Amino acid sequence: MSGIWGKNLRLSIFGESHAPAIGIVIDGLPPGTELDIENIRFQMNRRAPGRNKMSTPRGEKDEFEILSGYFNGKTTGTPLACMIRNADRRSSDYENISKTPRPGHADYTGFVKYGGFNDYRGGGHFSGRLTAPLVFAGAIAQQILEGMGIVIAAHAQSVAGVCDTRFEEVDVDKELVERLKASELAAIDTAKGELMKSEILKAREELDSVGGVIECMALGIPAGLGDPFFDSVESRLSGMLFSIPAVKGVEFGAGFEISRMRGSKANDEYVISDGQISTSTNNNGGILGGITSGMPMVFRAAIKPTPSISQMQSSVDIFSMKEVQLRVEGRHDPCIVPRAIPVVESAAALVILDMMLEGRK
Amino acid sequence: MSGIWGKNLRLSIFGESHAPAIGIVIDGLPPGTELDIENIRFQMNRRAPGRNKMSTPRGEKDEFEILSGYFNGKTTGTPLACMIRNADRRSSDYENISKTPRPGHADYTGFVKYGGFNDYRGGGHFSGRLTAPLVFAGAIAQQILEGMGIVIAAHAQSVAGVCDTRFEEVDVDKELVERLKASELAAIDTAKGELMKSEILKAREELDSVGGVIECMALGIPAGLGDPFFDSVESRLSGMLFSIPAVKGVEFGAGFEISRMRGSKANDEYVISDGQISTSTNNNGGILGGITSGMPMVFRAAIKPTPSISQMQSSVDIFSMKEVQLRVEGRHDPCIVPRAIPVVESAAALVILDMMLEGRK
Amino acid sequence: MSGIWGKNLRLSIFGESHAPAIGIVIDGLPPGTELDIENIRFQMNRRAPGRNKMSTPRGEKDEFEILSGYFNGKTTGTPLACMIRNADRRSSDYENISKTPRPGHADYTGFVKYGGFNDYRGGGHFSGRLTAPLVFAGAIAQQILEGMGIVIAAHAQSVAGVCDTRFEEVDVDKELVERLKASELAAIDTAKGELMKSEILKAREELDSVGGVIECMALGIPAGLGDPFFDSVESRLSGMLFSIPAVKGVEFGAGFEISRMRGSKANDEYVISDGQISTSTNNNGGILGGITSGMPMVFRAAIKPTPSISQMQSSVDIFSMKEVQLRVEGRHDPCIVPRAIPVVESAAALVILDMMLEGRK
Amino acid sequence: MSGIWGKNLRLSIFGESHAPAIGIVIDGLPPGTELDIENIRFQMNRRAPGRNKMSTPRGEKDEFEILSGYFNGKTTGTPLACMIRNADRRSSDYENISKTPRPGHADYTGFVKYGGFNDYRGGGHFSGRLTAPLVFAGAIAQQILEGMGIVIAAHAQSVAGVCDTRFEEVDVDKELVERLKASELAAIDTAKGELMKSEILKAREELDSVGGVIECMALGIPAGLGDPFFDSVESRLSGMLFSIPAVKGVEFGAGFEISRMRGSKANDEYVISDGQISTSTNNNGGILGGITSGMPMVFRAAIKPTPSISQMQSSVDIFSMKEVQLRVEGRHDPCIVPRAIPVVESAAALVILDMMLEGRK
């Protein structure tokens, strides 16, 4: 089953791209938490489509309605349910995808799993639109974490092969974090950001799409979160990150690069800095033995290029079992990295909050 | 909590490197499954240390005793418990690691999480030795999966920067799979395997260690396993893979490489081959929308170099809060990739079996 | 956390009596199940208030809207979300209950648990109204179970001390089941049913309330469902039944009565009837060792009298810590047994369906 | 699956009556907890057979070995595994039960569920012997709870129809609790206790068995534990209690009796006593809306008479499908209530500790 996640904080998502609504039920929020609704809207708009040339012109507003768990401007401690109506539906665009699956999409696997009964319109339950409720929940989680002194930021570490500066190379301060959250395409090196944008627009002109890598950092996390083995921080975070459609790789700290290092270089040596135990490097991304070390948590997620492209592609008619040519109609993003950045931040926030609410912490 | 995993198949592991025993309880195994004890021993020996120059000379036998759930040579359907006694204990080697944590190990994070009460000897519960019960369970899972026509194989795709041929570049047949399982260091290209070995031995001579990447492939998996979002195949597999100590990255199909492709190249186009729906490429690693497509499942795990090295390293005395120099005594592997290969296979087998036992499949 | 239940079928409920809405997300429904919406309405009306003199005059319509997981009149296999708007709200009735808790209600315990931030209006999340989503889900579960040949029925085995005939004393046929489901107060012996009604109305006149015992039977359940110990059929069913507000006792088969029998009488002896293995008695209620035997599943739930009564009662002002006198204003049922009967049927249906969807069944 | 329970404290049990061992893995114990091994032995001996005429002469010693999670006399915080070897095995006694199931036992349901592959000897995994690991875990839980000021006691509220005084009728002090824990058959009224014993011995002489009701009380529990609905205190406790073989009914506070009361009598009115909010009665057993009120938690479990009796009973040969006569050979308790009392205490302790470890508490 797809829809339920978490231990101390539990999420239950629902919805399809063209159903009456999509939404989420959040169980386990601390009671009495004041919600900054404007900030939730801001976070959701970062993900929403139609804001610029890099994105589909779909006019989804992502206007949410809180149905329960919210009283006098604060959380009640009982399940908080949120619903987002599906406004702008153009089902006709999708009428044929059930019989001729779009390459790179879940049309075929969804058909097999659900015996053809799933709502295929717009990708149905597999639609990237289902990340909107995640961002709603993630925005709340980030608000709570900020109260605990934890800040989460993400940027496009690469798009179409254009690489941005890494977090570890700069001094991550409040100003940078705010600039990243405010920008159309979050990049530490703004020049690289512009280059990425032009690559995205070039791909669009050529009826193609591009992918990228999102790097995320969490600052202020106490040492001792997480567990060895099945509930390691990496296990929980990767489990959530791979829930995001289009993510095909996840790495922590130096990640795949560490596999080419020698132990003498890879090991993060301990030092005392400002009277605190710290490490001189952070190749383990703030996690050792599945448990946080108090160093910044750093991870990256690989995002595949948008499968929806307007070029002619080969597919099959699953009923006649004949090969056919297919051009994906409708409106698509030439690159989802910009809109996926707040989703990755949300995923991190939700996992970290789930751990912060752990009994023994 | 660290010790419990799974939905239809549930694992509960326990033990520390120097406790009386380590072990696992496996709940949910189909009743009446005949177990090939010899094959279980074979799999566990692939992981066991002391078999060759690439590994620590520790004489652990990993002799297991099945305590329950096994009757007349078959599984009963009730929890199958297995215990492995810790024979060769040399606690003296580890006496000081509680106060001066070894870089790259979980000594410090374990100390913080458990308030200094955890059994630190030999890494305690964080020891790679805890993967022995996983291989025991994985061997059983592989036996059951083979009966379902599913075969799992893994190899060292890279060690110390030396890269092996990839599965997608060759025809994976029974012979190759058996050769890989039988070799000291599983490599598709035996010449590259020898090169890797010499790199490992060179690192050992230089009192250092190296890491690598393990590639795993699962053949014969039906389409329709897994779920969207939180229970995606990638989420479940990565959650289990990141439970393995030293794994810092996981990718599926083309993985991070796909983030540099364009959609027109990344999309796996559908074709009819042998009257079956198939794809001409497999950049998505046999998984779309979190659900298996029927194509081979392919993923890679990045293994960091063994943190235990005999060179002098910087650490801190966590009580006096003074920086100190540390040389890790004791016996270590210069590279754990060879021994980690059967662990990765086991992780895959356990996740796939858990999904195969799903009600709706 | 309150809101999530189940293994193969997972429920997530939300809502408060005076929030914008209450609802449920049902994950794990088999795809392609045609829903009989009229039947769902019928079941929900059995629980709805305001239908007769035994119930509060509140005009709640319990009109539900399916938000997702439903396409072309069938379930999709993805989460099915249902929302019920809270129409007729009269918050003023409840303004003071946060400071002076009503005896027998959750006002005080809710205040302590949620630090006073919970929505207390109308009992908030603790309101019996939250059972409406359960009946929605239960109606769907019963439709699916009927297709599997499983029928569930319940009746008021006692109200205010007036006892009805027990299921085991009669021949439970289709006609009886339909009569029970159609009646205002389901009783096998209609004369006893009338007596119960007059007791309920008498209690109402005397500004008091009464309770009772609901007996439920499930026919057509295959042998072999459930598990020993923690997932026993009794554990799962009681866990769900005690989720229903006002249930204070649950028993299976002969229940508490069996504790006064001798083994020679209590043991259900095996016989062959119609070529099937059966038992001559059913003191174990169709469950042995936590697993179904194929005999009818029989259990009873004790329902306490409605705590809301219009008599003067003693309470405390939790802020001034002074004892006060309290009369519960507003509209209440003198007995909730009639409306609780479809809730108990729903609880049974959901637990049984969860087990029927088990992989190994 | 049978073997895994809990949220913040997780239990995984294993074993069969005649397997090499039975045991339990306990995950989530607070690190640094000093264990009183003598007290654990004392609790396990209360459950162990062969101590007096009321019990089977089986010489099981229940000698346990802690395999992990225990270091320097304290818990480590990692999974604590405990194994109990099955010493005195007389399999011959049980050779025929697989083909002719014993009435009242799980022989038949186990055969159906596990397809005849389960270890039937001595009831296998269904054996009451599996409660020994529960008492081991419960003893640890009680030690931790005592440090939190929580005391749990139980007594035989009735045996063979002979009723003991109820907890609410007496002043439950340290002396009474210790006397109950020390006595062969815990009864508040010792004269009634003697009467119960004679009834048990009389049943034994007549080759029969008797059952009873165990009442349990927990003192010192803070208000605010538990949750509404699916995780109500009653749901969690009943789920655990019905895991104990032979329990067929569970009730809280006045239980089934409350269904015959009127609201004006059933409601527990609030009063101020010793400056604390309290209730003048405790018909709700210290639980309202699924959440603890701070009043003593009181519940009762109905225990059926031991199914093993030496009288001739009717059964069937499940292979030839012929009715046969059966006399259960071997060694049985004429009443398991005395030995079940520490099991019920353990069940309560484990559930309460699981809730006490909750994040928001």
Side-chain angles (χ1 to χ4, degrees):
Chain A
M1 289 167 289
S2 67
I4 293 175
W5 174 89
K7 187 192 166 203
N8 304 300
L9 185 73
R10 287 199 285 192
L11 308 178
S12 177
I13 58 170
F14 62 85
E16 290 88 25
S17 179
H18 288 57
I22 59 175
I24 190 164
V25 182
I26 312 170
D27 197 6
L29 286 172
T33 306
E34 200 156 337
L35 298 185
D36 179 341
I37 299 297
E38 263 325 296
N39 170 271
I40 295 174
R41 283 215 184 81
F42 169 75
Q43 295 296 341
M44 293 184 74
N45 283 333
R46 292 175 64 199
R47 191 215 69 87
R51 294 177 309 136
N52 56 60
K53 282 229 216 64
M54 290 182 291
S55 148
T56 153
R58 266 171 305 189
E60 287 154 343
K61 289 279 166 312
D62 286 357
E63 269 163 14
F64 58 87
E65 177 185 8
I66 296 179
L67 300 174
S68 69
Y70 185 63
F71 181 47
N72 296 334
K74 298 193 178 70
T75 58
T76 59
T78 53
L80 189 151
C82 164
M83 171 180 72
I84 301 162
R85 290 275 179 194
N86 287 321
D88 168 28
R89 306 197 223 168
R90 283 174 34 191
S91 305
S92 54
D93 295 349
Y94 302 97
E95 247 139 32
N96 64 347
I97 72 176
S98 61
K99 56 193 290 282
T100 57
R102 297 166 300 170
H105 277 286
D107 304 335
Y108 174 64
T109 55
F111 178 88
V112 173
K113 178 168 189 67
Y114 301 112
F117 292 108
N118 56 308
D119 181 349
Y120 51 78
R121 297 168 301 165
H125 188 60
F126 296 92
S127 167
R129 178 154 173 69
L130 267 286
T131 57
L134 273 186
V135 172
F136 170 85
I140 293 174
Q142 285 193 70
Q143 290 179 20
I144 297 171
L145 290 174
E146 269 165 35
M148 299 169 168
I150 295 172
V151 173
I152 295 163
H155 70 110
Q157 200 244 295
S158 86
V159 164
V162 180
C163 293
D164 187 20
T165 309
R166 289 195 174 192
F167 275 127
E168 65 178 351
E169 301 174 69
V170 295
D171 176 31
V172 181
D173 55 12
K174 200 163 177 310
E175 189 190 336
L176 172 60
V177 171
E178 280 170 3
R179 174 166 71 74
L180 291 174
K181 288 189 196 292
S183 53
E184 269 184 3
L185 172 48
I188 294 171
D189 179 333
T190 49
K192 292 290 176 61
E194 290 310 312
L195 225 57
M196 293 175 182
K197 279 187 210 168
S198 58
E199 283 297 324
I200 293 172
L201 299 179
K202 189 151 135 277
R204 165 191 228 118
E205 282 153 27
E206 295 164 9
L207 308 179
D208 215 334
S209 63
V210 293
V213 173
I214 294 171
E215 181 178 56
C216 186
M217 182 180 232
L219 295 161
I221 293 177
L225 288 186
D227 291 275
F229 295 98
F230 309 130
D231 291 330
S232 73
V233 174
E234 293 106 324
S235 295
R236 300 188 208 199
L237 252 168
S238 63
M240 175 59 99
L241 290 164
F242 280 115
S243 303
I244 304 171
V247 172
K248 297 303 284 190
V250 169
E251 61 178 15
F252 294 85
F256 277 84
E257 183 56 36
I258 204 171
S259 73
R260 286 179 287 276
M261 295 179 186
R262 278 199 162 190
S264 51
K265 177 168 185 300
N267 286 347
D268 300 310
E269 296 187 294
Y270 291 99
V271 295
I272 303 286
S273 94
D274 314 335
Q276 300 289 318
I277 293 173
S278 171
T279 57
S280 51
T281 52
N282 190 21
N283 293 320
N284 286 284
I287 307 162
L288 282 167
I291 296 170
T292 56
S293 67
M295 289 291 285
M297 188 185 291
V298 178
F299 64 87
R300 282 168 294 280
I303 310 285
K304 73 180 185 181
T306 319
S308 297
I309 55 174
S310 304
Q311 290 180 40
M312 193 63 80
Q313 298 181 86
S314 299
S315 180
V316 297
D317 179 313
I318 62 177
F319 297 111
S320 70
M321 289 297 278
K322 285 198 170 43
E323 300 189 353
V324 298
Q325 290 298 298
L326 168 83
R327 174 177 285 111
V328 181
E329 304 299 343
R331 307 144 299 176
H332 358 277
D333 296 341
C335 180
I336 63 162
V337 170
R339 294 176 55 200
I341 286 170
V343 182
V344 167
E345 286 176 13
S346 296
L350 290 162
V351 172
I352 292 165
L353 181 56
D354 187 47
M355 295 191 294
M356 291 295 289
L357 295 173
E358 182 71 35
R360 273 173 300 164
K361 283 262 67 49
Chain B
M1 288 167 288
S2 67
I4 294 174
W5 173 89
K7 186 191 167 204
N8 305 299
L9 184 74
R10 286 199 285 191
L11 308 178
S12 177
I13 57 169
F14 61 85
E16 291 89 25
S17 180
H18 289 58
I22 59 175
I24 189 163
V25 182
I26 312 171
D27 197 6
L29 286 172
T33 306
E34 201 156 336
L35 298 186
D36 179 342
I37 300 296
E38 264 326 296
N39 171 271
I40 296 173
R41 283 217 183 78
F42 169 76
Q43 295 294 343
M44 292 184 75
N45 283 333
R46 290 176 64 199
R47 191 214 70 88
R51 293 177 308 134
N52 57 59
K53 282 230 216 64
M54 291 182 290
S55 147
T56 152
R58 267 171 304 190
E60 287 154 342
K61 290 279 167 312
D62 286 356
E63 270 162 14
F64 59 87
E65 178 185 8
I66 296 178
L67 301 175
S68 69
Y70 185 62
F71 182 47
N72 296 333
K74 297 195 178 67
T75 57
T76 58
T78 53
L80 189 150
C82 165
M83 171 180 72
I84 301 162
R85 289 275 179 194
N86 286 322
D88 169 27
R89 306 197 222 167
R90 285 182 25 200
S91 305
S92 54
D93 295 351
Y94 302 97
E95 250 141 32
N96 63 349
I97 72 175
S98 61
K99 58 194 288 279
T100 55
R102 297 166 299 171
H105 277 286
D107 304 335
Y108 174 64
T109 54
F111 178 88
V112 173
K113 178 170 189 64
Y114 300 111
F117 292 108
N118 57 308
D119 181 350
Y120 52 76
R121 297 168 300 165
H125 188 60
F126 296 93
S127 167
R129 178 155 174 70
L130 266 286
T131 57
L134 273 186
V135 172
F136 171 86
I140 293 174
Q142 284 193 70
Q143 289 179 20
I144 297 171
L145 291 174
E146 269 166 32
M148 300 169 167
I150 295 171
V151 173
I152 295 163
H155 70 111
Q157 199 244 295
S158 86
V159 165
V162 179
C163 293
D164 187 22
T165 309
R166 290 195 172 190
F167 274 127
E168 65 179 348
E169 301 174 70
V170 295
D171 174 32
V172 181
D173 56 12
K174 201 164 176 313
E175 190 190 334
L176 172 60
V177 171
E178 280 171 2
R179 175 166 70 75
L180 290 174
K181 289 191 196 289
S183 53
E184 268 184 3
L185 172 48
I188 294 172
D189 179 334
T190 50
K192 291 289 175 63
E194 291 308 313
L195 225 57
M196 293 175 181
K197 279 188 209 167
S198 58
E199 283 297 324
I200 292 171
L201 298 179
K202 189 152 134 274
R204 163 191 229 117
E205 282 153 27
E206 296 163 8
L207 308 180
D208 215 332
S209 63
V210 292
V213 173
I214 295 171
E215 182 179 56
C216 186
M217 181 180 232
L219 295 161
I221 293 178
L225 288 186
D227 291 274
F229 295 98
F230 307 130
D231 291 331
S232 73
V233 174
E234 295 106 324
S235 295
R236 299 187 210 202
L237 252 169
S238 63
M240 175 60 98
L241 290 165
F242 279 115
S243 304
I244 304 170
V247 171
K248 297 303 285 189
V250 169
E251 59 178 16
F252 295 85
F256 277 84
E257 183 56 37
I258 204 172
S259 73
R260 287 179 286 276
M261 295 179 186
R262 279 198 162 191
S264 53
K265 177 169 184 298
N267 285 347
D268 300 309
E269 296 188 294
Y270 291 100
V271 295
I272 303 287
S273 93
D274 313 335
Q276 300 290 319
I277 292 173
S278 170
T279 57
S280 51
T281 52
N282 190 19
N283 294 319
N284 286 283
I287 308 162
L288 282 167
I291 296 169
T292 56
S293 67
M295 290 292 284
M297 188 185 291
V298 178
F299 63 87
R300 281 169 295 280
I303 310 286
K304 73 181 186 181
T306 320
S308 298
I309 55 175
S310 305
Q311 290 180 39
M312 193 64 80
Q313 298 180 84
S314 299
S315 181
V316 297
D317 179 315
I318 62 176
F319 297 112
S320 69
M321 290 296 279
K322 286 196 169 46
E323 299 190 352
V324 299
Q325 289 300 298
L326 168 83
R327 174 177 283 112
V328 180
E329 305 299 344
R331 307 144 300 176
H332 0 276
D333 296 341
C335 179
I336 65 161
V337 170
R339 295 175 55 199
I341 287 170
V343 182
V344 167
E345 285 176 13
S346 296
L350 291 162
V351 172
I352 293 165
L353 181 58
D354 187 47
M355 294 190 296
M356 291 295 288
L357 295 173
E358 183 70 36
R360 272 174 301 165
K361 280 262 70 44
Chain C
M1 289 167 289
S2 67
I4 294 176
W5 173 90
K7 187 193 165 201
N8 305 298
L9 184 74
R10 287 199 285 192
L11 308 179
S12 177
I13 58 170
F14 63 85
E16 291 87 25
S17 180
H18 289 57
I22 59 176
I24 190 164
V25 182
I26 312 170
D27 197 6
L29 286 172
T33 305
E34 199 156 336
L35 298 186
D36 178 341
I37 300 296
E38 263 325 296
N39 171 271
I40 296 174
R41 283 216 184 81
F42 169 74
Q43 296 295 341
M44 292 184 74
N45 284 334
R46 291 176 64 200
R47 191 215 70 86
R51 292 176 309 134
N52 57 59
K53 282 230 219 62
M54 290 182 290
S55 148
T56 152
R58 267 170 305 190
E60 287 153 344
K61 290 277 169 311
D62 286 357
E63 268 162 13
F64 58 87
E65 177 185 8
I66 297 178
L67 300 174
S68 69
Y70 185 63
F71 182 47
N72 296 335
K74 297 194 178 68
T75 58
T76 59
T78 52
L80 189 150
C82 164
M83 170 180 73
I84 301 162
R85 290 274 180 194
N86 286 322
D88 168 28
R89 307 197 222 168
R90 282 175 34 192
S91 305
S92 53
D93 295 351
Y94 302 97
E95 251 142 30
N96 62 349
I97 73 176
S98 61
K99 56 193 291 278
T100 56
R102 297 167 299 170
H105 277 286
D107 304 335
Y108 174 64
T109 55
F111 179 88
V112 173
K113 180 170 187 65
Y114 301 112
F117 293 108
N118 57 308
D119 181 350
Y120 51 78
R121 298 169 299 166
H125 188 59
F126 296 92
S127 167
R129 177 153 173 72
L130 267 286
T131 57
L134 273 186
V135 172
F136 171 85
I140 292 174
Q142 285 193 71
Q143 289 179 20
I144 296 171
L145 290 174
E146 268 165 34
M148 299 169 167
I150 295 172
V151 173
I152 295 163
H155 70 111
Q157 199 245 294
S158 86
V159 164
V162 180
C163 292
D164 187 21
T165 309
R166 290 193 172 191
F167 275 126
E168 65 177 350
E169 301 172 70
V170 296
D171 175 32
V172 181
D173 56 12
K174 200 163 178 311
E175 189 190 336
L176 172 60
V177 171
E178 281 170 2
R179 175 166 69 77
L180 291 175
K181 288 190 197 290
S183 52
E184 269 184 2
L185 171 48
I188 294 172
D189 179 334
T190 49
K192 290 289 173 62
E194 290 310 312
L195 225 57
M196 292 175 182
K197 281 188 211 169
S198 58
E199 284 297 322
I200 293 172
L201 298 180
K202 190 153 132 271
R204 166 192 225 115
E205 282 152 29
E206 296 165 8
L207 308 179
D208 214 333
S209 64
V210 293
V213 173
I214 294 171
E215 182 179 56
C216 185
M217 182 181 232
L219 296 160
I221 293 176
L225 289 186
D227 292 275
F229 295 98
F230 308 130
D231 291 331
S232 73
V233 173
E234 294 105 324
S235 295
R236 300 187 208 201
L237 252 168
S238 64
M240 175 60 98
L241 290 164
F242 279 116
S243 304
I244 304 171
V247 172
K248 297 302 284 190
V250 169
E251 60 178 15
F252 295 84
F256 277 83
E257 182 56 36
I258 205 172
S259 73
R260 286 179 287 275
M261 295 179 184
R262 278 197 161 190
S264 53
K265 176 169 186 299
N267 286 348
D268 300 309
E269 296 188 294
Y270 291 100
V271 295
I272 304 287
S273 92
D274 314 334
Q276 299 291 317
I277 293 174
S278 169
T279 57
S280 51
T281 53
N282 190 20
N283 293 320
N284 286 284
I287 308 162
L288 282 167
I291 296 170
T292 57
S293 66
M295 289 291 284
M297 188 186 292
V298 178
F299 64 87
R300 281 169 295 280
I303 310 286
K304 73 180 187 182
T306 320
S308 298
I309 55 174
S310 304
Q311 289 179 41
M312 193 63 80
Q313 298 180 84
S314 299
S315 181
V316 296
D317 179 314
I318 61 177
F319 297 111
S320 69
M321 289 296 278
K322 286 196 170 45
E323 301 190 352
V324 297
Q325 289 299 299
L326 168 82
R327 174 177 285 112
V328 181
E329 305 300 344
R331 309 145 298 177
H332 356 277
D333 296 341
C335 179
I336 64 161
V337 170
R339 295 174 56 198
I341 287 170
V343 181
V344 167
E345 286 176 14
S346 296
L350 291 163
V351 172
I352 293 166
L353 181 57
D354 187 47
M355 295 191 295
M356 291 295 289
L357 295 173
E358 181 72 34
R360 273 175 299 167
K361 281 263 69 46
Chain D
M1 289 167 288
S2 66
I4 293 175
W5 174 90
K7 187 194 165 203
N8 305 299
L9 184 74
R10 287 200 284 192
L11 308 178
S12 176
I13 58 170
F14 62 85
E16 290 88 26
S17 179
H18 288 58
I22 61 175
I24 190 163
V25 182
I26 311 171
D27 198 5
L29 286 171
T33 305
E34 201 156 336
L35 297 186
D36 178 340
I37 300 295
E38 264 325 295
N39 171 270
I40 296 173
R41 284 216 183 80
F42 169 75
Q43 295 295 342
M44 292 184 74
N45 283 334
R46 291 175 65 199
R47 191 216 69 87
R51 293 175 309 134
N52 57 59
K53 283 229 217 64
M54 290 181 290
S55 148
T56 153
R58 269 171 303 193
E60 287 152 345
K61 289 278 168 312
D62 287 358
E63 269 162 14
F64 59 87
E65 177 186 7
I66 296 178
L67 300 174
S68 69
Y70 185 62
F71 182 48
N72 296 334
K74 297 193 177 70
T75 58
T76 59
T78 53
L80 190 150
C82 165
M83 170 180 72
I84 301 162
R85 290 274 179 193
N86 287 321
D88 168 27
R89 308 197 223 168
R90 281 172 39 189
S91 305
S92 55
D93 296 349
Y94 303 96
E95 249 141 32
N96 62 348
I97 72 175
S98 61
K99 58 192 288 278
T100 56
R102 298 166 300 170
H105 276 287
D107 304 336
Y108 174 65
T109 55
F111 178 88
V112 173
K113 177 169 189 66
Y114 301 112
F117 292 108
N118 57 309
D119 181 350
Y120 51 77
R121 298 168 300 165
H125 187 59
F126 297 93
S127 167
R129 177 154 174 70
L130 267 285
T131 58
L134 273 186
V135 172
F136 170 86
I140 293 174
Q142 285 192 71
Q143 289 179 21
I144 297 171
L145 290 174
E146 269 165 34
M148 299 170 169
I150 295 171
V151 172
I152 295 163
H155 70 110
Q157 199 244 299
S158 84
V159 164
V162 179
C163 292
D164 187 21
T165 310
R166 289 194 173 190
F167 275 126
E168 64 178 350
E169 302 172 70
V170 294
D171 175 32
V172 181
D173 56 13
K174 200 163 178 309
E175 190 190 336
L176 172 59
V177 171
E178 279 170 4
R179 175 166 70 75
L180 291 175
K181 287 190 197 290
S183 53
E184 270 184 1
L185 171 49
I188 294 172
D189 178 334
T190 49
K192 291 289 175 60
E194 290 309 311
L195 224 57
M196 292 175 182
K197 281 187 209 169
S198 59
E199 283 297 323
I200 293 171
L201 298 180
K202 188 152 136 275
R204 165 189 227 119
E205 282 153 29
E206 294 164 8
L207 307 179
D208 215 332
S209 64
V210 292
V213 173
I214 295 171
E215 182 179 56
C216 186
M217 182 181 231
L219 296 160
I221 294 177
L225 288 185
D227 292 275
F229 295 98
F230 308 130
D231 292 330
S232 74
V233 174
E234 295 106 322
S235 294
R236 300 188 208 202
L237 252 169
S238 63
M240 175 59 97
L241 290 165
F242 279 116
S243 304
I244 304 171
V247 172
K248 298 301 285 189
V250 169
E251 60 178 16
F252 295 84
F256 277 84
E257 183 56 37
I258 204 171
S259 74
R260 286 179 286 275
M261 295 179 184
R262 279 198 161 189
S264 52
K265 176 170 185 298
N267 286 348
D268 300 310
E269 296 187 294
Y270 291 100
V271 294
I272 304 286
S273 92
D274 314 333
Q276 298 291 318
I277 293 173
S278 170
T279 57
S280 51
T281 53
N282 189 19
N283 293 318
N284 285 284
I287 308 162
L288 282 167
I291 296 169
T292 56
S293 66
M295 289 291 284
M297 187 185 292
V298 178
F299 63 88
R300 281 168 295 279
I303 310 286
K304 73 181 186 181
T306 321
S308 297
I309 55 174
S310 303
Q311 289 180 42
M312 193 63 81
Q313 299 180 84
S314 300
S315 181
V316 297
D317 179 313
I318 62 176
F319 298 111
S320 71
M321 289 296 279
K322 286 198 168 45
E323 299 190 354
V324 298
Q325 289 299 299
L326 169 82
R327 173 177 286 112
V328 181
E329 305 299 344
R331 309 144 298 177
H332 356 277
D333 296 339
C335 180
I336 64 162
V337 170
R339 294 175 56 198
I341 287 170
V343 181
V344 167
E345 285 175 14
S346 297
L350 290 162
V351 172
I352 294 165
L353 181 57
D354 187 47
M355 296 191 294
M356 291 295 289
L357 295 172
E358 181 72 35
R360 273 174 297 167
K361 280 266 71 37

